[in-house]
Amino acid sequence: MAKALIIVDVQNDFCEGGSLAVEGGADLASEISELISESRDFDFIVATQDWHIDPGSHFSDTPDFRTSWPVHCVAGSKGAALHRNLDTEDIDAYFRKGKYHAGYSGFDGLLAPEDEVMVGEREAHEPADPEAAGADVSLDDWLRENDVDDVVVVGLATDFCVRATALDAINAGYGTTVLRDYVAGVDADASEEALQELAEAGVEVK
């Protein structure tokens, strides 16, 4: 059986200068790149992306920053691109989530055609087809097809998409670990509460 690293939402809009920046996001992207280069523990590496087309009340002009948010990670935009500090050379697959809903969990994500994945400072562009081939393959499908039974979750943000992804992973039966040095959150207290919740749910937090 295999182990996969799941990199959650290390995108321009969630890093400094983005519309919904998490403090330390850009540095975290670099640190995750170092983890990838130094670790031989992972058989597969996947990344998730918020990829919003029309997520309804998830976007708001008067966001409460709990259930509604400023516009971010619009499909095809520069903000939705993976941050340039994240080394994508060894990423095996990308999963986009939240086209028509909030999409906090990476397990809501669907496989993206590799040639459409934007990184760093590339010009923004609309995907050739938002419902392109591969869109019916979920993250869970892909992991099971590749005999993955353990996952390690890193990325942004601890108190939202990392939390949701890790909870879905443990509930789906994967051995699940969150590396606290490789996540960053919107709110420090809420992030600690999320990590405690994950530990109580059976996730290894280390």
Side-chain angles (χ1 to χ4, degrees):
M1 304 298 278
K3 179 185 288 188
L5 178 68
I6 302 176
I7 304 168
V8 177
D9 297 3
V10 181
Q11 296 168 265
N12 288 329
D13 270 348
F14 296 139
C15 296
E16 288 81 354
S19 64
L20 195 52
V22 174
E23 183 178 354
D27 286 342
L28 182 67
S30 298
E31 290 161 7
I32 292 171
S33 294
E34 291 179 13
L35 174 67
I36 292 170
S37 67
E38 294 172 1
S39 178
R40 302 187 186 279
D41 290 342
F42 308 116
D43 300 290
F44 300 101
I45 300 173
V46 302
T48 71
Q49 290 175 282
D50 259 12
W51 197 255
H52 296 306
I53 295 173
D54 182 10
S57 61
H58 186 62
F59 284 173
S60 174
D61 293 332
T62 55
D64 63 14
F65 294 92
R66 297 299 301 173
T67 61
S68 61
W69 305 91
V71 174
H72 62 276
C73 296
V74 172
S77 71
K78 178 180 174 181
L82 298 168
H83 194 273
R84 64 181 180 276
N85 291 358
L86 179 65
D87 185 352
T88 60
E89 181 178 357
D90 294 320
I91 294 178
D92 297 293
Y94 304 84
F95 295 85
R96 293 172 175 166
K97 57 191 177 67
K99 289 180 179 179
Y100 302 107
H101 55 92
Y104 291 110
S105 172
F107 282 83
D108 293 334
L110 299 175
L111 183 64
E114 187 173 352
D115 60 358
E116 289 183 11
V117 176
M118 300 187 306
V119 178
E121 298 302 323
R122 294 182 186 174
E123 289 298 317
H125 67 282
E126 288 299 323
D129 178 1
E131 308 300 333
D136 59 343
V137 178
S138 71
L139 174 57
D140 187 46
D141 292 336
W142 192 94
L143 294 173
R144 295 189 189 283
E145 287 169 3
N146 286 284
D147 294 324
V148 172
D149 59 354
D150 290 301
V151 299
V152 176
V153 182
V154 299
L156 302 168
T158 312
D159 36 348
F160 290 95
C161 294
V162 168
R163 170 188 171 275
T165 300
L167 284 175
D168 277 357
I170 196 75
N171 289 334
Y174 296 96
T176 306
T177 301
V178 171
L179 301 180
R180 64 165 56 243
D181 289 341
Y182 295 91
V183 295
V186 174
D187 177 84
D189 290 340
S191 293
E192 283 303 316
E193 291 174 4
L195 293 174
Q196 180 62 36
E197 178 187 4
L198 292 174
E200 291 173 357
V203 175
E204 184 176 4
V205 178
K206 64 178 186 180

